[in-house]
Amino acid sequence: MTDQDRPDPTTGGPQSGTPAADEPMPGEPTTDGAPRLGDSIAAAARRSGLGQLTEADTSTGAALLGALGGIRGLCETILPGLVFLVLFTFTQNVPLSIVASVAVAAVFTVVRIVGKTPVTQAMAGLIGVGISAILALITGRGEDNFLLGIWTNAAYAAAILISMLVRWPVIGLAAGYLMGDGVAWRKDKRKFRVMQALTFLWFLLFAARLVVQVPLYLAHTDAATSALALTKLLMGVPLYAPLLLVTWFVVKGQFPQKPAEGARRTTSAG
């Protein structure tokens, strides 16, 4: 990165120079009619838990429950892992524990299909459980049932850290487009620092999972595998939900205005 491109530490913007004429800034329309980057970011952000909290018209508790997928969504997230934990702890039987876990995820997906309700979350969970199960069945090691999750946490941690280092914190991008501020928050030193801090908290979440789970995975013992299953449950929703709520309250304080109607229409169209 040259000095011309290096972000200004006081504003978060470039020190000098302007983008090329054919290189739109985030949120600016493209010349070939393709969707704007800002619209894409807003749409992705609104599909996230933070976006669902933003648009909720119910109380905070009900909104948070909705952002987590409701009671059914929580069951779809927690029960497959819980079934694996219980069965493996008492039997140390890898195939039985894994097949039962996949079966639970499959039942949830079938119920949604039969009930003609949205299946995205259940399908995503089933695919994740299925891939993890295949890895564990191939190797015959129960700890490999958690390998995909470990790599996923590592990828999220790396992406979040990179966004902070290049001074485009991902929580700031999501919050800015959700609240109709675009990338203007980067010119406000206080908002920029708050968005960096929030993004760092999310980095700590994924990093903490790695710090705890990787040594357990590398231990290659039945006891460690049971502990790995337990820590995955405890460091999942119980950590994610409070951090999501804290993020939402801080975002509301930094962006008191309502989300832009244009961004709302973009999400509905998507």
Side-chain angles (χ1 to χ4, degrees), residues 54-250:
T54 302
E55 295 191 324
D57 296 324
T58 57
S59 66
T60 301
L64 178 60
L65 182 60
L68 296 173
I71 298 298
R72 178 186 289 186
L74 286 175
C75 290
E76 292 168 349
T77 300
I78 295 172
L79 282 184
L82 182 60
V83 167
F84 177 92
L85 171 62
V86 172
L87 287 178
F88 186 83
T89 298
F90 286 100
T91 69
Q92 277 76 52
N93 188 313
V94 173
L96 173 63
S97 304
I98 288 175
V99 169
S101 176
V102 173
V104 170
V107 167
F108 279 123
T109 304
V110 171
V111 168
R112 281 190 176 270
I113 293 174
V114 172
K116 297 182 179 180
T117 55
V119 299
T120 303
Q121 180 171 343
M123 283 297 298
L126 179 59
I127 292 172
V129 170
I131 294 175
S132 298
I134 291 172
L135 290 174
L137 289 174
I138 289 175
T139 63
R141 301 189 309 185
E143 62 266 29
D144 284 337
N145 190 46
F146 304 96
L147 185 58
L148 178 62
I150 289 174
W151 279 110
T152 299
N153 283 315
Y156 276 124
I160 291 172
L161 181 60
I162 290 172
S163 78
M164 294 176 59
L165 293 176
V166 299
R167 301 180 69 82
W168 284 92
V170 65
I171 299 300
L173 286 172
Y177 283 104
L178 281 172
M179 306 306 289
D181 197 48
V183 295
W185 54 271
R186 298 187 76 242
K187 299 178 181 179
D188 185 321
K189 187 190 326 186
R190 179 176 57 84
K191 281 185 179 180
F192 179 80
R193 288 176 175 173
V194 171
M195 292 303 106
Q196 281 277 56
L198 278 178
T199 303
F200 182 65
L201 288 179
W202 283 95
F203 167 76
L204 288 181
L205 170 66
F206 295 108
R209 290 175 178 174
L210 293 173
V211 168
V212 173
Q213 294 174 10
V214 169
L216 291 173
Y217 172 81
L218 295 176
H220 300 307
T221 65
D222 289 342
T225 299
S226 294
L228 181 56
L230 178 61
T231 57
K232 182 176 181 180
L233 291 174
L234 295 179
M235 302 185 79
V237 173
L239 291 184
Y240 171 82
L243 183 53
L244 178 63
L245 200 57
V246 168
T247 301
W248 167 232
F249 280 126
V250 174

Side-chain angles (χ1 to χ4, degrees), residues 251-265:
V251 167
K252 280 185 65 177
Q254 295 296 314
F255 303 92
Q257 69 272 26
K258 294 182 179 180
E261 290 299 319
R264 188 185 297 273
R265 286 194 298 269

Side-chain angles (χ1 to χ4, degrees), residues 15-32:
Q15 290 181 343
S16 62
T18 57
D22 59 349
E23 186 177 320
M25 291 292 291
E28 293 298 318
T30 58
T31 58
D32 59 359

